[in-house]
Amino acid sequence: AKSSGRGTYKLFDVAMHAQLQTHQQMKITMRDALAKGEFELHYQPLVSLESRCVSCCEALLRWRHPDRGMIAPSEFIPIAEETGLIVPIGEWILGEACRQAARWPERVSVAVNLSPVQFKHRNLVRAVAKALSATRLDPARLQLEITETVLLDESEHNLELLQDLRRLGVKIAMDDFGTGYSSLGYLRSFPFDKIKVDQAFVRDLPHGKESLAIVKAVAGLGQSLGMTTSVEGVETEDQLAVVDSEGFNEVQGYLFSRPLPAAEISKLIAAGSL
Ligand code: C2E
Ligand code: CA
Ligand code: CA
Ligand code: CA
């Protein structure tokens, strides 16, 4: 047992070392990635359950790394947040997403994810205003998705920022609803325009009793608070049927479409109902 134990440690060491190295390397290569044009946005539609048409597309960041190919955001956004690079990258995302949305039909909005780190910087409101004015996008067609982490620390300050953003005319959505500790409480502190139920609650539908109860509750809550209700991660017809019968306004998920490059999403929007 002892010898195999040592072997295990060695392997662990090697793996740890490799991981640290990619982490370090990513930190370094990420500095130039923006200037080199290695980031791109893919877009995933949210489909209105009333019209079956695309009502909004969520911008999702991708990194086309010269050696490693396409890297998922879960792999590099935490590093971008740690280094603060998420601030310039986030400004680029805002500009790029608004630029694309300005070419879509007026009924289609764009949703942009904001990192809590972006709220620590004075110029967030200015960056959003700049993206809007540069592209002349109607502010009502820009939705900013935040998670409750934004309200967790420095909540006073961040609430003020949210109000400032709201004054620009944009919509504010609470993302990943239900995954945090106090999602419910935050609905009281800020009048969100939209709540997006996290895919964790959709996965075991239609049979999961707890998930079903939560999904039902959120639908009712959203309706009575006058918020648009949406659900992410819908992959099957059975899941769609539940969400539809509970009266949600819109759905997002692989059942309708995966995130697609800008050129392909434009075609999908033009094709009409899904
Ligand atoms: P999120 O905002 O909750 O985005 C939803 C994630 O679920 C996306 O993963 C999307 O591709 C995936 N997804 C959509 N439909 C389905 C489905 O039917 N089944 C399954 N299994 N997954 C589905 P993605 O693109 O890898 O993004 C992961 C997370 O990275 C996002 O979670 C968001 O927190 C963050 N992120 C992505 N783009 C940005 C960005 O531009 N800025 C910031 N700050 N964060 C971003
Ligand atoms: Ca999101
Ligand atoms: Ca989400
Ligand atoms: Ca999520």
Side-chain angles (χ1 to χ4, degrees):
K2 240 180 195 169
S3 60
S4 81
R6 278 188 65 185
T8 311
Y9 274 116
K10 236 185 198 159
L11 258 179
F12 183 66
D13 260 10
V14 171
M16 279 282 284
H17 183 73
Q19 208 178 9
L20 265 175
Q21 218 179 14
T22 39
H23 189 96
Q24 280 308 112
Q25 269 166 0
M26 251 198 231
K27 262 191 192 174
I28 296 161
T29 53
M30 206 183 291
R31 274 183 225 146
D32 310 318
L34 192 57
K36 287 185 179 160
E38 291 172 6
F39 290 115
E40 41 186 275
L41 291 179
H42 285 192
Y43 298 88
Q44 189 180 26
L46 281 88
V47 177
S48 155
L49 283 174
E50 202 188 337
S51 67
R52 294 280 163 156
C53 288
V54 177
S55 50
C56 178
C57 292
E58 178 178 8
L60 294 159
L61 186 62
R62 302 289 182 260
W63 182 5
R64 198 182 286 276
H65 193 279
D67 313 318
R68 298 190 43 202
M70 204 66 106
I71 309 180
S74 55
E75 263 192 82
F76 67 87
I77 286 180
I79 301 173
E81 291 179 329
E82 194 186 309
T83 56
L85 278 172
I86 192 67
V87 173
I89 296 172
E91 288 175 12
W92 174 81
I93 294 169
L94 281 163
E96 180 68 13
C98 291
R99 196 173 63 82
Q100 284 300 336
R103 303 164 155 191
W104 300 337
E106 271 174 36
R107 64 176 162 85
V108 184
S109 301
V110 68
V112 171
N113 292 284
L114 291 184
S115 157
V117 176
Q118 291 176 270
F119 279 78
K120 293 201 170 77
H121 290 257
R122 279 237 148 263
N123 54 356
L124 174 63
V125 181
R126 230 179 308 149
V128 173
K130 192 179 151 202
L132 289 168
S133 64
T135 59
R136 298 172 166 224
L137 182 75
D138 174 2
R141 291 176 61 203
L142 175 61
Q143 303 180 1
L144 301 174
E145 296 193 0
I146 66 152
T147 57
E148 69 167 56
T149 331
V150 164
L151 297 172
L152 215 71
D153 38 61
E154 311 221 32
S155 54
E156 276 303 305
H157 171 70
N158 287 352
L159 270 177
E160 275 172 33
L161 280 183
L162 278 180
Q163 270 140 13
D164 291 345
L165 288 169
R166 176 58 93 36
R167 261 178 235 123
L168 295 175
V170 304
K171 309 284 183 203
I172 312 286
M174 183 179 238
D175 199 2
D176 297 345
F177 189 82
T179 53
Y181 292 105
S182 31
S183 300
L184 266 183
Y186 291 122
L187 290 187
R188 240 183 67 193
S189 57
F190 188 80
F192 289 90
D193 298 288
K194 180 189 281 196
I195 29 183
K196 277 181 99 173
V197 175
D198 192 70
Q199 58 191 61
F201 301 102
V202 181
R203 223 166 276 145
D204 57 351
L205 291 181
H207 304 294
K209 280 208 182 86
E210 290 77 13
S211 294
L212 186 60
I214 289 167
V215 161
K216 267 183 198 286
V218 178
L221 197 70
Q223 267 160 19
S224 47
L225 292 174
M227 297 171 183
T228 301
T229 49
S230 54
V231 174
E232 67 178 21
V234 173
E235 296 181 352
T236 68
E237 291 287 350
D238 283 350
Q239 292 169 344
L240 174 64
V242 173
V243 171
D244 203 357
S245 69
E246 292 309 329
F248 277 86
N249 299 115
E250 52 189 18
V251 284
Q252 180 183 34
Y254 295 166
L255 179 64
F256 290 102
S257 172
R258 292 187 172 256
L260 298 170
E264 286 176 50
I265 204 74
S266 294
K267 281 187 225 158
L268 192 101
I269 292 171
S273 66
L274 287 181

